[in-house]
Each structure stands twice: as C-alpha cells, then as structure tokens.
C-alpha cells in the first residue's frame, strides 16, 4: 500500500512539473512575439545552415514602339531571407520589399481615315445653234399660203389653196369640189390630181382642162388664177 501511494505521488509531481514547463515555454514564445512585431515566425523546410537569398525571376520587357518615352512607375517584389542556422535557434524568414521600375507603354494611336476628295463635275458648255438668216425672196411668188375664191362648177363649187416657197408654187389643195353624186365624185377624183400636177409644172394659170371634166377645169382655173395673183411679187 505504501509503494502504491509513493508511486502515485511521483506521478502527480511529474505531471505538475511538465505542466509548469509547458506554461513557461508558452509564456516565452508570447513574449518573443510581442518584442519583434515586424517579423513572422515560420517553420521552414530543411535548408542549409547558410543564409539563402532567392533572387526574383528575370523580367523581360518588350521594346515600346511609341516614339515618345512613357513615364516610369514602380512595383515591389518580395525576397525571402532566412535568418538563423536552424529552427531551434529561432530562425525565420524576413520579407524585404525592393522597388522594380516598370516602363509604361503608351497606347497605339488610332489612325484617322483620310476623307475622300469630292470631285467637282466639269461644266458642259453648249454652243447655241446659229439663228438662220432670212434671205430675200427673188422668185416669182412670195412665200406663204394663199386661198382662191369659191367658183361655181355647175354640179358643185370649186375652191383651191396654194402653197408657195422659195418663189415657186409647191402645192395645190382642193378645199371644195362637187361630191353630191357618185358621178361627180368619180369625175373629180380623176381630174383633181391631173389639174394639180399641171399647175405645179406650169407655175401659172390657166392650165389645160381635163377631158370629161370641163366644168371642174374651168372653175379650178378661175380660183387658181386669183390665188396666184395674191402670191405674185
């Protein structure tokens, strides 16, 4: 019974000692952290005892094509330096911030489109046609249209109109002729072209009569003679 009590007492004393040691170590760690606010305790991997400096990766910068140099700005890189030989000696990593210049690139200017020139249409100059100059009429007749009187041809009336141009008789038109009966229409239809052709050929009146149309020929010569008289210079 005494051995058991002795053993139990030793266990209690050992446990109290272990608890006191643990409390003391925690207090020391807290005090260490409070005195060095700018550092951070990190459990590092196994590294050589000498201090190592991890250099930043090489930065390659493409050349800027702009003619005007751009203003330089800066950024930071973090380099980790291990202090101390090992973890038990209180080794830790210190963060060092170093400025690294960066060349800012200028934006590429947007090309301005060239406006298309407006073509001015070439004015077209038109030359007016020359005004014809009237020439004096030196022919037998005046230029124009002249109408003869109405003449009785027994079976109806005859009236002619003449056209003169360039001093000559150029056309003869029948304004009236006998057409009440079929016989009159037949006789005059045959006689009128002949009388007209003879007048233009002769350039005068009277003309030869047409056989079978004596009354028509007589009345035609009478009306034609008056019209030619009005047209004569």
């Amino acid at each position: 019974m005494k051995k058991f009590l002795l053993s139990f007492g030793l266990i209690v004393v050992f446990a109290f000692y272990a608890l006191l040691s643990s409390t003391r170590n925690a207090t020391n760690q807290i005090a260490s952290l409070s005195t060095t606010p700018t550092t951070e305790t990190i459990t590092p991997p196994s590294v050589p005892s000498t201090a190592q400096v991890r250099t930043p990766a090489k930065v390659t910068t493409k050349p800027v094509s702009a003619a005007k140099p751009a203003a330089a700005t800066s950024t930071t890189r973090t380099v980790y330096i291990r202090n101390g030989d090992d973890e038990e000696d209180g080794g830790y990593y210190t963060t060092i911030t170093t400025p690294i210049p960066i060349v800012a690139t200028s934006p590429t200017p947007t090309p301005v489109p060239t406006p298309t020139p407006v073509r001015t249409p070439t004015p077209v100059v038109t030359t007016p046609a020359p005004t014809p100059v009237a020439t004096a009429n030196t022919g037998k007749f005046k230029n124009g249209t002249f109408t003869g009187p109405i003449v009785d041809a027994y079976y109806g009336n005859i009236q002619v109109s003449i056209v003169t141009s360039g001093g000559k008789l150029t056309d003869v038109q029948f304004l009236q002729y006998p057409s009440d009966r079929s016989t009159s229409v037949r006789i005059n239809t045959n006689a009128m072209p002949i009388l007209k052709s003879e007048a233009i050929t002769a350039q005068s009146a009277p003309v030869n009569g047409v056989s079978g149309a004596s009354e028509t020929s007589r009345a035609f010569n009478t009306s034609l003679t008056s019209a030619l008289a009005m047209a004569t210079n």
Side-chain angles (χ1 to χ4, degrees), residues 127-228:
T127 303
T131 303
V133 179
T135 58
N137 185 4
T138 59
K140 182 179 180 180
F141 303 109
K142 296 179 289 187
N143 296 334
T145 301
F146 306 91
T147 303
I150 300 173
V151 181
D152 183 17
Y154 188 75
Y155 293 102
N157 295 324
I158 292 289
Q159 184 182 22
V160 298
S161 174
I162 64 172
V163 177
T164 56
S165 177
K168 296 182 180 181
L169 175 63
T170 58
D171 191 16
V172 178
Q173 299 175 355
F174 284 83
L175 301 180
Q176 295 185 37
Y177 64 92
S179 58
D180 292 343
R181 298 181 301 171
S182 58
T183 302
S184 298
V185 172
R186 178 177 55 80
I187 293 174
N188 288 283
T189 301
N190 180 58
M192 285 188 299
I194 298 173
L195 295 172
K196 174 181 177 180
S197 177
E198 288 183 356
I200 294 174
T201 302
Q203 293 289 307
S204 64
V207 299
N208 295 328
V210 178
S211 177
S214 58
E215 293 295 330
T216 298
S217 299
R218 179 188 58 79
F220 172 78
N221 281 325
T222 301
S223 184
L224 176 64
T225 299
S226 297
L228 291 174

Side-chain angles (χ1 to χ4, degrees), residues 68-73 102-106:
K68 184 179 179 180
T73 59
I102 295 177
V103 179
T105 59
S106 301

Side-chain angles (χ1 to χ4, degrees), residues 23-59:
T23 303
R24 184 179 300 172
N25 290 335
T27 303
N28 292 334
Q29 290 179 0
I30 293 172
S32 176
L33 291 175
S34 61
T35 56
T36 56
T38 59
T39 60
E40 180 181 0
T41 301
I42 303 174
T43 302
S46 177
V47 295
S49 59
T50 58
Q52 296 180 353
V53 177
R54 296 182 184 179
T55 58
K58 184 178 180 181
V59 179

Side-chain angles (χ1 to χ4, degrees), residues 1-12:
M1 187 64 181
K2 290 181 180 180
K3 291 180 179 181
F4 176 76
L5 293 176
L6 181 60
S7 298
F8 180 76
L10 291 175
I11 291 172
V12 172

